Amino acid sequence: YASLLFAWFFLWTFAAAAPPDADRGEPLRAALAAVLLGAGSVAMLVATRASRVTALRVALVVAVLLGAAGLAAQGATWAARDVAPTASAYGALVHAVHGYLAAHIGLALLAAGFVLARSMRGYAGPDRPQEVRVAALLWHYAAAAALIGFGCVE
């Protein structure tokens, strides 16, 4: 991810026409996605600190719902971009960053859903917090990466 951000800043600093005038991005939609993912991150933090299984499950459901809404907002932001990935290095980079973010947000959603399913079967819970912690770390990474990525490309 650092190499993608380096490429972004290199283009932003040295390229003659980056970003193109036709492509302005969707900063409000990207901000909504970032807020939703950040709220999901808070829900995952609540899940890691839950002392009862019911509170853990509720926090995981809230996180998954917020993450799905954040992924949808990110997808809408990505679809609204008016630059093709083959048009220029800028276009390729915008699509690479959005693809990277979508993949990691999707993985965080899968991890949270997996932990939720395992908690329903009794395999994860406050007495076995390792899976919740790992899923929460992935979620926090995806939310932080999205915040930085949206700040750069939108």
Side-chain angles (χ1 to χ4, degrees):
Y1 192 60
S3 62
L4 285 175
L5 294 179
F6 175 78
W8 174 261
F9 285 112
F10 180 81
L11 278 178
W12 182 54
T13 306
F14 295 109
D21 291 335
D23 185 56
R24 295 282 184 214
E26 293 282 338
L28 292 178
R29 205 176 290 162
L32 173 65
V35 166
L36 289 168
L37 294 170
S41 192
V42 170
M44 287 301 287
L45 183 63
V46 169
T48 60
R49 296 180 180 187
S51 59
R52 294 188 355 233
V53 116
T54 305
L56 170 81
R57 290 177 185 158
V58 168
L60 287 170
V61 167
V62 168
V64 167
L65 292 174
L66 288 168
L71 184 60
Q74 190 263 344
T77 303
W78 189 5
R81 295 310 294 251
D82 194 27
V83 62
T86 56
S88 64
Y90 170 78
L93 196 53
V94 165
H95 287 275
V97 169
H98 273 289
Y100 181 90
L101 295 176
H104 282 79
I105 296 166
L107 285 173
L109 280 169
L110 284 174
F114 177 75
V115 172
L116 178 62
R118 286 188 50 87
S119 78
M120 297 297 220
R121 303 282 291 171
Y123 297 126
D127 56 330
R128 298 179 186 173
Q130 292 79 13
E131 292 176 21
V132 180
R133 289 182 188 153
V134 169
L137 285 173
L138 177 59
W139 194 288
H140 299 325
Y141 171 77
L147 182 63
I148 293 167
F150 292 151
C152 290
V153 300
E154 297 298 329

